[in-house]
Amino acid sequence: DGIHVISPLAQAFQSGLVPVTGNSLGGLTSVGQSPSVVNPHRPDPLTQQFSFGFQYAFGPNDVLDVNYVGSRGSRITLGGMNYGQLNPKYLSMGSALSQTLPSPYASALSSLGLAAPSCPYTVAQSLMPYPEFCGGVSAIDEPVGINNYNALQANFKHRFGQGLIFTASYTFSKFLSDVGGPEEWGSINGDQGGSSIRNFYDLKADWSVDGGDIPHSLVLNYVYDLPVGRGKRLGGGMNTVEDAVAGGWQVTGITTAQSGFPMSIGPSGNAASVYGGNQHADLTGQPFKSGNCGGTNGVPAIPVGTKYCFFNPAAFKAPADYTFGTAPRYLSNLRAPGYVDQDLAIQKWFTLKERLRLQVAVQMFNAFNHANFGIPSATVGNPNMGLSTSTQGARQMQGALKITY
């Protein structure tokens, strides 16, 4: 409940610590436990990158760059490769897999003064590749994955002319992978619960868009000297005092617009029933972009596409026991809300002395206070599934003074 201590630190190891035995036990090392191992002969990940493109100048101030950029990754590391998963061919046995059998290891461990097995010895356990270990043999950072990235990048630059410097960059891309790599857990997209590897015997079954896939991204940068002040189009005849106040102002900005990240769906299933594998949600066949969010547990029903309801929860259901689920790791056609941001600054330089200048600026982040919704709830059975309950990046404003000398 967040208040009462369930187990004080002094009682954290009531069952005792697993003895450090090194390799003295030979084949009995870690028997009855769930070991994590490191492959001493694992090769380094490999990424091959390539690109080509062209550049065209429309005039002395305008240049267009268009490029194809691609990469291929192999031996991408998977945080935990479970070599102890039960072969899926046995899942058809269903509940018979959970029947308990006499453990062939208990007496040997007891005679050596070692801890008893940490799991019951069941039919499923007896059929695992390494039945002496409980549930799994997890190889840390195992280089088993592949990925590829393809992108069209276009960049337009307008050098200074009519008081304007302008750059526009657009990327159209696709990023595919079968494992998310070592940093997936900390990505901005996070893990909504459905991106785990289902079947370690068949990684290719989880080939999908990557969690970091952003198909469209547009960034605009600009600096504009306002045409006001002495010698300019407006107020060209201002005196020195008027020009010091009204002339010489500059507007700068960065505009960003990009697609949302692909969604993964938390299954709320029974992962224990696939014995070392994981489950994804099942697709029901209903459309993602119609229907309602909410409607249960006091959450009002909201049609998809209105307010903060972004997809139809009825398009997914929990997988049956002893199945992996049919939804991919990430869905290319179901994405979190996109991101739009407009940062602006208005600034002016004042010359105080020959080598002493003062800049006054007002800076606005998300200047138009655009609501960027967070990733919607994506766990089957959650009353808020499909609803985004957060926003990010509310407008902020600040003033700045800078002196150069």
Side-chain angles (χ1 to χ4, degrees):
D1 58 9
I3 300 175
H4 300 92
V5 176
I6 298 175
S7 178
L9 187 60
Q11 302 175 12
F13 305 103
Q14 297 181 64
S15 59
L17 297 174
V18 176
V20 178
T21 61
N23 62 359
S24 63
L25 297 177
L28 287 174
T29 302
S30 295
V31 167
Q33 308 302 318
S34 299
S36 294
V37 300
V38 176
N39 182 352
H41 306 294
R42 60 185 178 184
D44 291 331
L46 173 67
T47 299
Q48 299 170 299
Q49 298 177 320
F50 35 88
S51 64
F52 64 85
F54 68 87
Q55 183 180 84
Y56 182 76
F58 295 94
N61 294 324
D62 300 302
V63 177
L64 174 67
D65 283 286
V66 178
N67 295 279
Y68 163 78
V69 176
S71 70
R72 299 291 182 272
S74 59
R75 305 197 294 261
I76 305 302
T77 55
L78 176 61
M81 176 70 181
N82 186 5
Y83 286 109
Q85 178 192 340
L86 178 68
N87 193 312
K89 69 182 181 180
Y90 295 118
L91 294 179
S92 60
M93 296 173 63
S95 60
L97 292 168
S98 60
Q99 294 178 9
T100 303
L101 301 174
S103 172
Y105 308 107
S107 59
L109 293 173
S110 178
S111 66
L112 291 170
L114 300 176
S118 60
C119 61
Y121 193 77
T122 62
V123 171
Q125 187 69 31
S126 71
L127 294 172
M128 288 182 176
Y130 304 98
E132 66 271 30
F133 301 121
C134 283
V137 179
S138 180
I140 300 172
D141 292 337
E142 191 75 340
V144 293
I146 59 175
N147 63 34
N148 72 54
Y149 174 80
N150 296 280
L152 173 69
Q153 298 178 348
N155 184 273
F156 174 77
K157 293 180 180 179
H158 173 77
R159 299 187 180 94
F160 192 81
Q162 301 297 317
L164 176 66
I165 301 174
F166 175 77
T167 301
S169 300
Y170 171 71
T171 301
F172 173 59
S173 65
K174 194 164 191 176
F175 185 18
L176 299 164
S177 67
D178 58 5
V179 304
E183 291 83 25
E184 183 177 35
W185 66 271
S187 69
I188 190 171
N189 190 23
D191 176 7
Q192 294 90 51
S195 64
S196 300
I197 300 300
R198 287 172 289 188
N199 180 9
F200 294 96
Y201 287 86
D202 185 13
L203 297 182
K204 300 303 176 287
D206 281 315
W207 179 258
S208 74
V209 291
D210 190 84
D213 177 60
I214 301 176
H216 301 281
S217 177
L218 175 67
V219 179
L220 309 177
N221 295 272
Y222 41 91
V223 178
Y224 183 53
D225 291 333
L226 296 179
V228 179
R230 296 181 67 180
K232 296 186 178 180
R233 189 165 63 249
L234 301 177
M238 288 181 176
N239 60 40
T240 303
V241 175
E242 292 172 334
D243 183 63
V245 175
W249 287 94
Q250 187 180 72
V251 176
T252 64
I254 301 175
T255 301
T256 304
Q258 65 182 36
S259 306
F261 292 105
M263 298 290 297
S264 71
I265 305 298
S268 290
N270 178 18
S273 69
V274 291
Y275 295 97
N278 293 289
Q279 288 184 310
H280 292 183
D282 268 342
L283 299 171
T284 65
Q286 295 197 36
F288 298 154
K289 295 300 184 179
S290 64
N292 296 297
C293 298
T296 63
N297 292 70
V299 179
I302 301 174
V304 174
T306 63
K307 294 185 177 179
Y308 41 87
C309 172
F310 290 95
F311 68 89
N312 179 15
F316 305 94
K317 66 178 182 179
D321 288 352
Y322 314 108
T323 66
F324 293 116
T326 56
R329 286 170 53 238
Y330 292 98
L331 294 116
S332 62
N333 55 346
L334 179 62
R335 294 180 174 269
Y339 179 79
V340 177
D341 181 68
Q342 173 68 70
D343 299 334
L344 290 173
I346 301 174
Q347 54 204 28
K348 175 179 170 59
W349 284 99
F350 294 89
T351 301
L352 304 180
K353 292 183 178 180
E354 182 179 354
R355 300 180 60 184
L356 184 64
R357 302 179 72 208
L358 171 68
Q359 184 191 57
V360 177
V362 176
Q363 299 168 342
M364 295 169 283
F365 305 97
N366 192 7
F368 302 114
N369 207 28
H370 178 82
N372 288 299
F373 286 95
I375 296 174
S377 176
T379 302
V380 171
N382 187 322
N384 291 318
M385 186 176 182
L387 296 172
S388 176
T389 58
S390 65
T391 58
Q392 53 183 322
R395 178 173 52 216
Q396 297 182 32
M397 299 179 65
Q398 65 183 29
L401 295 175
K402 182 169 68 174
I403 295 177
T404 62
Y405 55 91

